[in-house]
Amino acid sequence: MIKVEHLSKKFGDVTVLNDISTTISKGEVISIIGPSGTGKSTFLRCLNLLEHPSSGSIIIDGVDLLDRRTNVPKIRQKMNMVFQSFNLFAHLTALDNLTLGQIRLLGMGKDEAARKSLDLLRLVGLAEKADAFPDELSGGQKQRVAIARCLAMEPEIILFDEPTSALDPTMVSEVLAVIRRLAKDGMTMLIVTHEMDFARDVSSRVFFMEEGGIYEEGTPQQIFEQPMREKTRAFINRVRSFHCSISSPDYDLYAMNAEIEIFCERQILPKRIGQKLLLLVEELLHLHQPLLSTETVEFKISHSEKHGTLEIVAESSGDEYNPISLTNTPDELGLNIITAMTETINYQRFEGKNRVLLVLGEK
Ligand code: ADP
Ligand code: MG
């Protein structure tokens, strides 16, 4: 339905979107998450041409949006957008906010538009507010009117840009409920949101945006439970981490341990956990010993307050080698100690690196 290829957007010299390619099918609900300033709004705005992309192409149902002959108002109607700040016409009632576009852009008769608008207001739970002006509505109600107005244009795709960010927390759920309902009815939607629980259960796919692109994408399960790339993990788990890189068998274990102890103190971890961590790192380093004369091993320890876990990742460059396989290890006892102390231990070959992951509960 939507095919984006090599989409880039620059503002002056600043590249905000860098070579985005993706395909979105009919009926998909895609949540777009990521830190602020990473181009999420710009991406949506490029899709419906509120911003003109610097390069690349956007094809919707076979129509090239960047072709000069493309009917832009028609595209915006087909792919309508809901904004954080509602953008209702203050001088029009809720009903008239809906009928206006139907009459002007869809060429609908007044009565028919009014009838349909009332149905849509009913759909978002606001039929009794048809004659109210935006000023007389709460934030949540305004946003529901804005969604109804968007639906009035009979869009095939809806773009939501942080639809609940301007709302009082008590009003977030009424708006999310309406969006959930649309998802259930099969509407194709792209939703920029900071509501992680909502993103997790409403979407078919999640895009994590970072560095001006779709840094990682996957099912909600993949992105929220097993994000593969570092910045995604940090964002999802809001982790704080400690890094160190070891490239010689004669590394200074005492110095490294001292740094880990400082990290544990900063994270306010119990002493007992700190000691467990030191032991694990030492054993894990030992398992990597055969690699240290030729390769670099990167250690990263991350603390996720949210999950109450400590995660140790050891990544090594070079050929495929699994340091935690019983056939490779020079130290079976060490491996047993690690296995007994951790909740998760696994090996993956990922992006050309060997990666061992240990997860340790905070309790
Ligand atoms: P997000 O929605 O992820 O927070 P935005 O898409 O709003 O990010 O912005 C991405 C970057 O582009 C930011 O650094 C922002 O300052 C910049 N930017 C956005 N719009 C403009 C504009 N019209 N002119 C110049 N810079 C802009
Ligand atoms: Mg934004």
Side-chain angles (χ1 to χ4, degrees):
M1 188 176 210
I2 308 179
K3 192 170 178 153
V4 176
E5 281 181 332
H6 306 296
L7 175 69
S8 294
K9 174 68 185 173
K10 289 183 181 180
F11 289 111
D13 290 342
V14 182
T15 302
V16 173
L17 298 179
N18 186 17
D19 198 23
I20 296 183
S21 297
T22 187
T23 309
I24 295 156
S25 315
K26 199 170 168 57
E28 275 202 283
V29 176
I30 296 186
S31 293
I32 303 177
I33 61 170
S36 59
T38 50
K40 302 181 298 298
S41 297
T42 306
F43 179 53
L44 289 194
R45 293 169 64 82
C46 281
L47 287 182
N48 81 349
L49 299 182
L50 288 172
E51 297 288 355
H52 197 84
S54 308
S55 60
S57 70
I58 303 171
I59 316 274
I60 311 269
D61 287 337
V63 177
D64 182 353
L65 287 203
L66 304 182
D67 186 326
R68 231 162 268 171
R69 288 160 297 182
T70 299
N71 179 344
V72 174
K74 180 89 192 145
I75 291 294
R76 289 203 188 127
Q77 175 229 315
K78 197 166 164 171
M79 186 156 52
N80 211 343
M81 188 148 165
V82 173
F83 301 88
Q84 182 177 332
S85 49
F86 329 127
N87 297 6
L88 294 175
F89 296 110
H91 64 289
L92 297 179
T93 62
L95 191 81
D96 290 342
N97 261 283
L98 269 65
T99 55
L100 185 71
Q102 291 172 291
I103 295 166
R104 290 215 187 144
L105 295 170
L106 301 185
M108 218 180 249
K110 232 177 155 184
D111 291 345
E112 193 195 352
R115 222 175 310 120
K116 198 176 133 204
S117 300
L118 200 57
D119 283 345
L120 287 170
L121 286 175
R122 195 166 292 122
L123 180 83
V124 300
L126 290 171
E128 66 172 23
K129 298 289 184 187
D131 296 325
F133 286 90
D135 270 358
E136 301 169 291
L137 300 173
S138 73
Q141 291 170 334
K142 278 187 244 190
Q143 192 59 302
R144 284 186 284 152
V145 171
I147 293 171
R149 181 180 62 177
C150 170
L151 291 169
M153 300 313 291
E154 299 174 352
E156 288 171 33
I157 302 156
I158 305 182
L159 310 175
F160 288 91
D161 192 1
E162 300 197 26
T164 60
S165 294
L167 301 178
D168 196 274
T170 56
M171 291 165 189
V172 169
S173 66
E174 66 192 53
V175 171
L176 296 184
V178 168
I179 303 175
R180 274 183 222 274
R181 159 83 193 258
L182 298 178
K184 218 162 146 195
D185 293 347
M187 179 62 79
T188 310
M189 302 191 279
L190 273 75
I191 312 167
V192 175
T193 184
H194 292 291
E195 299 290 334
M196 296 298 146
D197 291 338
F198 168 71
R200 180 194 289 242
D201 59 47
V202 80
S203 29
S204 51
R205 231 171 355 139
V206 179
F207 291 173
F208 173 69
M209 283 191 67
E210 175 61 282
E211 297 175 358
I214 301 170
Y215 179 86
E216 183 166 352
E217 67 160 275
T219 61
Q221 224 258 339
Q222 285 166 338
I223 297 295
F224 289 106
E225 279 154 45
Q226 288 155 337
M228 293 306 286
R229 299 189 65 191
E230 177 170 334
K231 287 186 180 173
T232 323
R233 302 170 81 83
F235 182 79
I236 297 294
N237 300 327
R238 308 282 153 57
V239 290
R240 271 164 289 178
S241 54
F242 162 81
H243 294 253
C244 104
S245 149
I246 295 173
S247 47
S248 145
D250 302 319
Y251 56 87
D252 184 347
L253 181 65
Y254 292 105
M256 180 171 167
N257 282 352
E259 282 186 62
I260 294 175
E261 277 171 8
I262 292 169
F263 168 77
C264 291
E265 273 168 31
R266 290 206 180 127
Q267 301 293 308
I268 327 176
L269 291 167
K271 262 229 140 56
R272 189 172 42 83
I273 297 297
Q275 277 153 9
K276 250 180 155 180
L277 195 60
L278 288 176
L279 181 59
L280 278 175
V281 169
E282 188 173 346
E283 294 297 346
L284 192 57
L285 257 171
H286 202 223
L287 296 182
H288 281 81
Q289 202 75 32
L291 296 176
L292 289 175
S293 48
T294 51
E295 308 295 343
T296 298
V297 181
E298 304 277 348
F299 269 81
K300 200 178 112 192
I301 302 172
S302 316
H303 176 216
S304 168
E305 271 177 289
K306 188 173 162 218
H307 294 129
T309 54
L310 280 161
E311 198 180 274
I312 308 172
V313 174
E315 271 186 355
S316 54
S317 43
D319 294 341
E320 185 155 355
Y321 178 79
N322 177 356
I324 59 166
S325 98
L326 271 176
T327 39
N328 288 342
T329 185
D331 178 12
E332 197 177 327
L333 181 63
L335 186 55
N336 289 338
I337 291 175
I338 292 179
T339 310
M341 284 172 64
T342 50
E343 289 174 4
T344 300
I345 169 165
N346 67 44
Y347 165 82
Q348 265 174 330
R349 180 79 183 169
F350 180 64
E351 290 185 345
K353 290 189 171 172
N354 298 301
R355 173 189 219 172
V356 175
L357 167 75
L358 307 182
V359 180
L360 170 67
E362 215 182 286
K363 301 261 148 50

